[in-house]
Amino acid sequence: MKKLGLSEWAAVAEIAGTIGVVISLLMVVYSLNQNTIAISGQGVNDIYDGYREMQLAMIENPEMVMITKRGMADFDSLSESDQELYKLYVAMNLDLWDRMTTREREGLISPETSEAWHAFFREWTSRNVSRALWEQEKWGWPGAWFQQQVEAQLTH
């Protein structure tokens, strides 16, 4: 058996180093994928938590439930203070949709994950936001893309 010379040992070390670099890169890719999944999950959880807070507030304040029901049916019949509460309710929901959309466009929430939320918010908007109310309040969402999303849902 022949002993390896210096150039042969250098070749072995180069191969071992290359294998080490490839393994290291694979670990970086795996870590990035795991981080992306975690960030996406956190983004979706933030949307869910925001919506849940609104639901809990409604449970704690049955009068707000009545305001939202009347606001959907006939916004103009609400008192001035109730109109403001209804506008806040609408704004909070639209803010959640806008926040989710922004995070999705930034790559922080996957489109597959957010599609069910988009469907929910499209349906919610078509039932709860009138064209007249949107015209009064759309200044709060200056992004053209989001405005188009909302306006596509306005049926009344």
Side-chain angles (χ1 to χ4, degrees):
M1 175 154 202
K2 179 182 164 188
K3 288 187 178 183
L4 297 178
L6 187 58
S7 62
E8 286 90 8
W9 278 113
V12 169
E14 189 174 333
I15 291 169
T18 301
I19 291 170
V21 168
V22 168
I23 290 171
S24 176
L25 287 174
L26 291 173
M27 293 302 295
V28 168
V29 168
Y30 175 77
S31 293
L32 285 173
N33 285 338
Q34 292 302 105
N35 286 342
T36 300
I37 290 167
I39 289 171
S40 179
Q42 180 61 42
V44 171
N45 284 345
D46 288 346
I47 302 305
Y48 174 77
D49 290 345
Y51 188 70
R52 185 167 182 241
E53 285 178 31
M54 285 189 289
Q55 289 176 319
L56 290 172
M58 296 288 244
I59 290 169
E60 292 172 4
N61 185 356
E63 184 179 334
M64 190 61 196
V65 173
M66 296 310 297
I67 291 169
T68 59
K69 288 183 121 238
R70 285 195 325 259
M72 288 186 305
D74 185 10
F75 178 78
D76 293 329
S77 71
L78 295 173
S79 69
E80 191 174 318
S81 64
D82 287 351
Q83 284 181 358
E84 290 304 313
L85 286 172
Y86 187 74
K87 286 178 188 179
L88 286 172
Y89 168 71
V90 167
M92 290 171 70
N93 278 279
L94 292 178
D95 281 341
L96 282 176
W97 191 13
D98 185 39
R99 191 176 340 152
M100 187 202 62
T101 300
T102 299
R103 288 181 179 164
E104 179 184 17
R105 294 175 89 191
E106 291 171 345
L108 299 176
I109 297 176
S110 70
E112 298 83 22
T113 302
S114 63
E115 186 49 43
W117 279 106
H118 281 298
F120 168 79
F121 283 118
R122 284 191 293 266
E123 174 64 24
W124 184 93
T125 300
S126 70
R127 285 186 289 116
N128 293 280
V129 182
S130 69
R131 192 165 297 283
L133 179 59
W134 174 246
E135 288 302 320
Q136 289 176 12
E137 301 297 319
K138 73 179 179 181
W139 60 269
W141 299 273
W145 190 88
F146 185 71
Q147 285 189 3
Q148 290 171 355
Q149 286 289 101
V150 172
E151 289 169 4
Q153 305 313 311
L154 301 180
T155 57
H156 56 288

